[in-house]
Amino acid sequence: MKVKIEILEGMPEEEVIIRCPGLSDSVIALQNYISKQGSAKRCLSLKNGETEFYVPMEEIYFFETEGRELRAHTADRIFFCGYKLYELEELLPGSFILPGIGAGQRHREEEL
């Protein structure tokens, strides 16, 4: 594995790009590790009625679409999500997968 660091002055935020021939367990683990660094609690801006909430990504179980609406589900609430699916794909950590059109869910490894 090669590691390369480029310093670009004037960048608004840090960006990490992983180039790989395929998505393997080690690449996913690396992405998850990097995503956790520097962001204690990453939140999404979601709405319930007219009220806006900043919900930590760890509390979101899955997303679903109904018509043109995208909804985020937590353990006890459903929120309206103003993001598009392609925007969520860029924002969400590697623990989420998009199994098909209209759904996105958190993938957690269960210990037996």
Side-chain angles (χ1 to χ4, degrees), residues 58-92:
E58 301 86 44
E59 293 182 15
I60 300 170
Y61 290 131
F62 65 94
F63 295 90
E64 72 171 340
T65 58
E66 186 172 313
R68 294 186 155 273
E69 290 186 353
L70 181 59
R71 297 181 181 154
H73 291 256
T74 63
D76 57 350
R77 295 177 101 164
I78 299 173
F79 296 94
F80 170 74
C81 182
Y83 299 98
K84 305 284 187 214
L85 277 176
Y86 68 88
E87 294 171 324
L88 277 178
E89 191 174 13
E90 293 178 9
L91 294 172
L92 295 174

Side-chain angles (χ1 to χ4, degrees), residues 6-111:
E6 294 179 9
I7 299 172
L8 302 173
E9 293 182 21
M11 285 188 68
E13 65 180 332
E14 294 173 336
E15 176 183 29
V16 176
I17 299 172
I18 301 172
R19 291 189 179 101
C20 56
L23 199 57
S24 65
D25 290 340
S26 61
V27 170
I28 292 171
L30 181 59
Q31 187 222 4
N32 287 335
Y33 177 79
I34 292 169
S35 295
K36 290 178 186 175
Q37 304 305 306
S39 59
K41 279 206 170 189
R42 292 181 35 180
C43 299
L44 285 179
S45 172
L46 304 172
K47 288 189 175 184
N48 191 339
E50 294 297 315
T51 308
E52 186 172 4
F53 295 87
Y54 291 93
V55 180
M57 289 187 191
E58 301 86 44
E59 293 182 15
I60 300 170
Y61 290 131
F62 65 94
F63 295 90
E64 72 171 340
T65 58
E66 186 172 313
R68 294 186 155 273
E69 290 186 353
L70 181 59
R71 297 181 181 154
H73 291 256
T74 63
D76 57 350
R77 295 177 101 164
I78 299 173
F79 296 94
F80 170 74
C81 182
Y83 299 98
K84 305 284 187 214
L85 277 176
Y86 68 88
E87 294 171 324
L88 277 178
E89 191 174 13
E90 293 178 9
L91 294 172
L92 295 174
S95 60
F96 277 90
I97 57 173
L98 295 172
I101 296 174
Q105 61 192 33
R106 180 177 295 281
H107 168 71
R108 294 186 185 180
E109 291 185 18
E110 300 287 332
E111 291 186 20

